[in-house]
Amino acid sequence: MASSVSSAALVFSVKRCDPEFLRPAKTTPREVKQLSDIDDQEGLRFQVPVIMFYPSNPIMKGKDPVQVIREALSKALVYYYPFAGRLIEGENRKLMVDCTGEGVLFIEADADTTLDDLGDAIQPMCPCFEELLYDVPGSGEILGSPLILIQVTRLRCGGFVLALRLNHTMTDAPGLIQFLNAVSDMAKGLSAPSIPPIWQRELLNARNSPLITRMHYEYEEVNNTNKTLMAMDENNLVHRSFFFGPKEIRALRNQLPSSLGPCSTFEVLVACIWKCRTIAFAVDPDEVVRFSCLINIRGKRGFDLPPGYYGNAFVYPASITKAGMLCTYPLEYAIRLLKKAKAEMSKEYVKSVADLMVIKGRPSFTQPGNYIVSDVTRVGFGDVDFGWGKAVYGGVARALSIISFCMRFKNRKGEEGNVIPICLPPLVMERFEHEVKRMTNKVKPNRPITSML
């Protein structure tokens, strides 16, 4: 079955130095920069945790990863100086970066453990994540706080861990990787980033005469007065990640009819997860549930984003259906819904989202009955190289309430696959694991159905 790893305790000690503000290596412009209307939505006002594990490398013997990354980060901030500022609000809650040059928060640390000791626990929901990224008191606010918190932890084996927390309104996963690659460039002795950063957030602003021209189920107001539709108590959630290797993916694909056409691994996996999650919550069959997957607009035809743009550049159109149909129809049904929602993405759709933010006061995404998954398998977390080679694992550190992430991972058996972290109430998690096991053990394909949509 799809193997799961829980957030059970893994004990090791970490000695940290006091957090320090790391400023740009040179004087940077003192100005105020507006975020785009795609950046500036309530649903992105949260912190994203990222973690990357690096093995020792004999070529780097005598080099200190903490010092190398500290110096490179300071140099990279000269070019990415908005990250060294602080967010403020203008009229109508419009987010702006006050480029103060105050810097990011940086922590130096040492851990009494090795990569071998950690094993498969380095995948999302990593035990002791709080030790590998100390939550500096007072640093996690969206406004007026450091935009990046970063901790570099040396390991006893000679490897190290880079963990960071990022204010999501500033950038998305590709934008973060672009910044980290600039740090990598500086660490390797380059005088400037290989890809010059581009701000130009006005490219994703609302039109002068905003107009909502598309249906946006992802921002729909849902009446959930009883607070029973997939209710999530943040103080009572179980965190686990699920690994889907070739065997599990093959079992899911075997359930699909040839008439469905080509399907990406991501589509197959998230359709399974969405269906199993809905069954596990035992949702009333007549309740409407929804699913959103993030669609990156970089490089898409019809868009004018220049290489180097590092703002949020995605939308997440939602699939909607009655819970009973999702739970009882074959997996094919969920995949068709996903494909239909993804087909909505266009330049006009993105402009409509930006206009909606201005017209409706920058709402959050729908929460009751919703589930969101971001595919970061091709973003390049594992490819960032500070001189020690590629990370053995790199990605988002954990799921966040109704948001999960799909990432590449190689387990100790050497199996390449995808890992998806998820957090659920305890009893729901038990049912969810059972459903995932049942679905990934199926071998016979379902008969095609013709009247689902």
Side-chain angles (χ1 to χ4, degrees):
M1 67 164 288
S3 57
S4 67
V5 174
S6 70
S7 52
L10 176 66
V11 179
F12 58 87
S13 62
V14 175
K15 294 182 179 179
R16 289 184 299 269
C17 297
D18 290 337
E20 61 180 292
F21 285 111
L22 191 63
R23 296 175 171 81
K26 298 178 182 177
T27 302
T28 54
R30 183 67 164 86
E31 58 187 353
V32 174
K33 290 177 159 304
Q34 287 194 351
L35 298 189
S36 79
D37 289 318
I38 295 296
D39 295 320
D40 190 4
Q41 46 185 303
E42 185 64 35
L44 296 185
R45 292 192 178 204
F46 67 91
Q47 307 279 356
V48 182
V50 170
I51 195 162
M52 304 155 85
F53 295 84
Y54 289 88
S56 61
N57 187 332
I59 296 176
M60 300 299 286
K61 186 176 182 180
K63 297 286 183 70
D64 177 9
V66 171
Q67 189 61 25
V68 168
I69 293 173
R70 178 193 278 119
E71 292 180 2
L73 181 58
S74 180
K75 292 176 182 177
L77 285 172
V78 173
Y79 300 91
Y80 287 83
Y81 63 89
F83 280 135
R86 302 291 182 265
L87 282 185
I88 58 175
E89 279 185 336
E91 187 177 357
N92 297 322
R93 301 181 67 229
K94 179 65 180 178
L95 283 177
M96 300 175 282
V97 187
D98 187 3
C99 300
T100 60
E102 292 175 79
V104 301
L105 265 179
F106 186 88
I107 303 171
E108 173 182 350
D110 291 277
D112 184 26
T113 190
T114 68
L115 278 177
D116 284 342
D117 291 339
L118 294 172
D120 283 349
I122 66 175
Q123 64 180 290
M125 308 305 186
C126 172
C128 298
F129 174 74
E130 289 77 10
E131 293 294 330
L132 296 172
L133 184 64
Y134 175 58
D135 183 9
V136 179
S139 69
E141 298 298 320
I142 297 301
L143 300 177
S145 290
L147 297 172
I148 298 176
L149 165 66
I150 184 167
Q151 179 174 322
V152 181
T153 305
R154 305 178 192 89
L155 301 177
R156 201 174 65 237
C157 59
F160 65 95
V161 182
L162 185 150
L164 64 85
R165 189 186 67 200
L166 170 77
N167 187 319
H168 202 336
T169 62
M170 284 293 292
T171 192
D172 54 12
L176 172 62
I177 292 302
Q178 181 182 308
F179 171 64
L180 291 177
N181 281 329
V183 177
S184 168
D185 289 340
M186 300 296 104
K188 294 175 181 176
L190 272 66
S191 59
S194 53
I195 299 177
I198 301 294
W199 184 261
Q200 293 185 16
R201 304 294 170 106
E202 68 278 2
L203 293 174
L204 293 179
N205 272 351
R207 290 170 280 211
N208 292 331
S209 298
L211 179 66
I212 301 171
T213 58
R214 297 290 185 267
M215 185 67 205
H216 296 287
Y217 293 113
E218 64 272 29
Y219 299 109
E220 192 173 22
E221 293 184 23
V222 175
N223 183 9
N224 187 34
T225 53
N226 295 328
K227 300 190 183 301
T228 57
L229 181 56
M230 294 183 167
M232 300 269 280
D233 178 359
E234 296 289 340
N235 297 315
N236 186 32
L237 295 177
V238 177
H239 294 258
R240 287 198 184 137
S241 48
F242 290 80
F243 176 78
F244 295 84
K247 178 182 176 183
E248 290 77 25
I249 294 169
R250 187 165 54 249
L252 293 173
R253 287 192 179 278
N254 283 342
Q255 299 171 44
L256 305 176
S258 59
S259 60
L260 183 58
C263 299
S264 69
T265 297
F266 176 74
E267 289 171 339
V268 173
L269 288 182
V270 296
C272 167
I273 293 287
W274 182 29
K275 179 172 182 173
C276 293
R277 186 178 182 274
T278 305
I279 293 172
F281 267 108
V283 181
D284 185 300
D286 290 326
E287 287 277 18
V288 172
V289 294
R290 64 197 71 212
F291 174 87
S292 292
C293 62
L294 275 64
I295 302 177
N296 193 327
I297 66 178
R298 289 177 176 82
K300 295 289 194 300
R301 185 179 301 172
F303 293 92
D304 303 318
L305 293 184
Y309 184 88
Y310 64 103
N312 288 286
F314 65 85
V315 291
Y316 38 93
S319 307
I320 64 168
T321 182
K322 286 189 175 181
M325 298 171 71
L326 177 63
C327 295
T328 58
Y329 284 170
L331 187 63
E332 171 193 358
Y333 175 69
I335 293 176
R336 289 190 185 276
L337 288 174
L338 296 178
K339 287 180 174 292
K340 182 181 178 183
K342 289 169 69 176
E344 293 292 320
M345 210 286 283
S346 64
K347 186 172 184 178
E348 181 59 32
Y349 192 94
V350 175
K351 284 296 183 184
S352 183
V353 171
D355 291 352
L356 181 149
M357 289 298 134
V358 171
I359 291 171
K360 294 196 173 184
R362 312 190 184 283
S364 182
F365 45 76
T366 306
Q367 298 207 29
N370 194 12
Y371 183 46
I372 301 171
V373 179
S374 175
D375 180 8
V376 294
T377 55
R378 295 178 177 86
V379 170
F381 280 110
D383 296 331
V384 179
D385 179 2
F386 301 103
W388 280 259
K390 295 182 179 182
V392 293
Y393 171 75
V396 181
R398 56 183 52 189
L400 305 162
S401 183
I402 65 170
I403 305 175
S404 291
F405 302 86
C406 182
M407 293 161 285
R408 296 291 297 167
F409 186 73
K410 180 189 285 188
N411 64 17
R412 272 194 162 180
K413 298 177 183 177
E415 295 177 308
E416 293 271 5
N418 292 271
V419 64
I420 300 178
I422 189 169
C423 48
L424 293 168
L427 291 179
V428 177
M429 182 65 82
E430 287 183 22
R431 294 194 291 265
F432 176 77
E433 285 199 84
H434 172 78
E435 288 300 322
V436 171
K437 180 178 180 180
R438 185 181 65 81
M439 285 202 69
T440 53
N441 281 342
K442 283 185 177 180
V443 293
K444 293 182 179 180
N446 285 299
R447 293 172 58 189
I449 50 182
T450 57
S451 59
M452 300 179 299
L453 300 175

